[in-house]
Amino acid sequence: MKSGASDPFADDDADAADEETTAEEASDASSERESVERDESPPELPYIYRREKVKDERPDVHQLFVRDETDERARDAERELEKLLGEDVYRLDAREAIYLAGMAHLDEAADVLREWGYDR
């Protein structure tokens, strides 16, 4: 039969089933290709290895004024992090990690604020 011509006596259900099977096979092949492409792409390097300078990927500045006792505790915490990790840690990295850890534990931050007189 010519391309585009249809057989009036053909089984419509068989044609629909063939089309569905072909669509499923194409979808499966596409998914397999995407999976292989993802597997072949190099993994993203951790932040400390992909940057050239400690300030790379840090466009925002959060200036923080602290009391003397907080400054001492921050320096102690930075040294303790270095001991825990067994390597030197940039002060900026340590401070941001401590900042993020604090955000992950807001209940403890609220306790500090209560000690300062909030929520009375």
Side-chain angles (χ1 to χ4, degrees):
M1 229 186 268
K2 291 183 181 178
S3 175
S6 61
D7 182 359
F9 303 106
D11 185 9
D12 289 338
D13 292 337
D15 289 343
D18 288 344
E19 288 174 11
E20 286 178 17
T21 302
T22 304
E24 288 174 5
E25 290 170 358
S27 176
D28 290 344
S30 174
S31 294
E32 287 176 25
R33 274 193 306 266
E34 288 174 9
S35 176
V36 169
E37 288 171 3
R38 273 188 245 120
D39 293 342
E40 291 175 1
S41 64
E44 186 172 327
L45 288 173
Y47 178 58
I48 64 169
Y49 298 118
R50 71 174 181 258
R51 67 185 184 195
E52 291 183 31
K53 297 178 228 157
V54 72
K55 292 183 181 178
D56 286 353
E57 297 182 37
R58 285 184 166 129
D60 301 315
V61 176
H62 287 219
Q63 188 172 12
L64 185 64
F65 296 96
V66 298
R67 295 176 291 158
D68 288 340
E69 62 200 45
T70 303
D71 185 58
E72 289 174 29
R73 286 187 66 191
R75 291 175 192 277
D76 291 344
E78 291 164 15
R79 284 190 291 275
E80 187 63 30
L81 281 173
E82 288 181 329
K83 287 179 188 174
L84 288 169
L85 296 172
E87 64 181 293
D88 291 339
V89 177
Y90 284 109
R91 175 167 281 158
L92 194 55
D93 287 342
R95 288 180 177 181
E96 185 170 356
I98 292 167
Y99 192 41
L100 288 169
M103 286 186 267
H105 299 277
L106 292 177
D107 54 331
E108 293 176 38
D111 289 342
V112 171
L113 290 170
R114 286 184 186 99
E115 288 174 16
W116 292 354
Y118 283 88
D119 195 26
R120 289 187 183 198

